[in-house]
Amino acid sequence: MARVFQVTAGSSRSGRRRAGQPTPAPVEPALARRAGIVAGYLAPHPPHLVYAENPPQNEPRSTGGWEVLRWGYEELRRRLRAHRPDVLVVHAPHWITMVGHHVNCVPNPRGLSVEPIFPHLFRYHYDFRTDVDLAEAIVEEGERAGLVTSAMREDGVRVDYATIGALHLANPDWDLPVVSLSANNNPYFYSDASLAEMETLGEATRTAIEKTGRRAVLLASNSLSHLHWDTEPDLPEDMGVERPFTHAQYAGDMELLQTIREGPTARLKEAVPAHIEATSSETKAGSLTWLMAAMGWPAIAGDVLAYGTVIATGNAVVEWVP
């Protein structure tokens, strides 16, 4: 059972008192604020989850739905706050760039993001801050690593719904600066052929974070199994019709999540390509591989906070703390 459902009576401090153990000294502030990647999350972006939350920024109104996944995001938000990050860095599959990897360097992106397939669910007014110094550093480190990397500085360019969806669900207050990275389109043509390049991008991201002295939380904004319905019910949030596309798709997701729960993350180097082949997984866009590489493929297990389907696609909210 995931830790989200487990509660220990009393605090660790009171437990030590009962056991007669000394209470450790407080952590020094300088150590507590150590720079680097403090946590990483698999943070899927289905527009339905934002729609179901009814935030004021989104024009359509709903009656709810997909509660288990949304409860997982509630727990993600609680944990994210405890990590006290300076910035959120997100890699999203739907900012697709044909040539190389782009980094959003616009200081204050704002506008209306519309999901092209579900405009009746997602018409979101966004207004957020970019950590431009970190964004420029990621461009520089990517170029130094041999990647084709570009800085997007065109004010007024519309931000894709996958980026907005993951950022809203992780931090609906929008009170933290952001860096967003594009998904090079190659994976959609060549399956998992570009995952090695995503490892290089992850390493460049980590180097930039450390050099700029940031405490960063990373968000990999992709779903898992990705076959989905081509029609929807009259009430989009009708949970009576929500289920996996096939049992095989569900079983593939469970096999990958079991690998994540067991750890270490290095096992995902083989598990992710196998999952892509078996389930048409959206991880082919490279977000999960980027996340693991940025964290240095730590020898830990992931904590699965929630799993559920959205129009039959598999979605999991997962935390890794290096």
Side-chain angles (χ1 to χ4, degrees):
M1 183 178 292
R3 290 200 304 269
V4 65
F5 296 118
Q6 297 178 359
V7 179
T8 302
S11 67
S12 57
R13 183 185 296 266
S14 63
R16 282 189 293 268
R17 285 200 302 266
R18 289 192 298 271
Q21 300 174 5
T23 300
V27 177
E28 290 296 326
L31 180 61
R33 294 295 300 166
R34 184 171 52 204
I37 297 169
V38 295
Y41 293 95
L42 181 59
H45 58 262
H48 305 65
L49 301 184
V50 175
Y51 165 70
E53 298 267 285
N54 285 322
Q57 299 98 321
N58 198 40
E59 293 176 5
R61 300 288 92 184
S62 80
T63 61
W66 302 279
E67 278 78 10
V68 173
L69 277 168
R70 293 196 289 120
W71 292 339
Y73 263 112
E74 285 183 9
E75 176 63 11
L76 182 158
R77 294 192 285 267
R78 186 188 68 79
R79 297 183 183 198
L80 187 152
R81 287 294 171 187
H83 295 307
R84 296 187 296 162
D86 302 316
V87 62
L88 303 179
V89 185
V90 59
H91 186 279
H94 294 295
W95 178 14
I96 297 175
T97 49
M98 296 297 294
V99 179
H101 308 274
H102 293 208
V103 184
N104 190 342
C105 296
V106 177
N108 179 206
R110 56 195 182 278
L112 176 65
S113 183
V114 179
E115 211 283 7
I117 300 176
F118 299 101
H120 58 302
L121 304 184
F122 193 93
R123 298 190 303 276
Y124 190 102
H125 297 265
Y126 60 89
D127 184 344
F128 62 89
R129 294 175 294 127
T130 297
D131 186 334
V132 177
D133 288 344
L134 176 57
E136 297 277 7
I138 293 174
V139 174
E140 181 179 337
E141 293 300 329
E143 291 174 342
R144 184 175 287 116
L147 299 176
V148 177
T149 314
S150 301
M152 189 188 75
R153 301 189 178 92
E154 291 73 23
D155 199 9
V157 173
R158 181 178 292 176
V159 180
D160 67 286
Y161 78 91
T163 296
I164 296 297
L167 288 171
H168 171 88
L169 290 163
N171 181 36
D173 293 335
W174 291 94
D175 58 350
L176 292 169
V178 168
V179 175
S180 59
L181 286 70
S182 78
N184 183 267
N185 205 39
N186 285 342
Y188 285 93
F189 289 115
Y190 305 116
S191 186
D192 62 354
S194 293
L195 293 185
E197 187 167 310
M198 298 307 301
E199 290 200 46
T200 304
L201 181 64
E203 293 163 0
T205 301
R206 179 178 69 249
T207 301
I209 289 168
E210 292 172 349
K211 284 187 176 181
T212 55
R214 300 299 196 264
R215 285 177 61 84
V217 164
L218 272 51
L219 306 174
S221 173
N222 59 237
S223 299
L224 298 181
S225 62
H226 213 56
L227 298 182
H228 52 78
W229 312 127
D230 58 6
T231 59
E232 66 177 1
D234 293 335
L235 182 69
E237 57 266 38
D238 182 357
M239 294 295 97
V241 298
E242 185 62 80
R243 61 179 178 82
F245 191 81
T246 64
H247 176 68
Q249 294 279 292
Y250 174 79
D253 284 349
M254 292 303 103
E255 183 175 354
L256 182 69
L257 289 175
Q258 186 61 29
T259 301
I260 287 172
R261 293 174 69 239
E262 293 173 353
T265 61
R267 292 178 60 198
L268 295 176
K269 291 185 179 184
E270 294 185 1
V272 167
H275 184 254
I276 291 170
E277 183 68 23
T279 69
S280 300
S281 175
E282 198 177 33
T283 57
K284 66 184 177 181
S287 302
L288 181 56
T289 300
W290 162 81
L291 173 64
M292 294 293 98
M295 297 177 70
W297 299 95
I300 58 175
D303 193 4
V304 179
L305 307 183
Y307 174 85
T309 62
V310 179
I311 60 166
T313 66
N315 297 267
V317 180
V318 184
E319 180 189 56
W320 289 268
V321 180

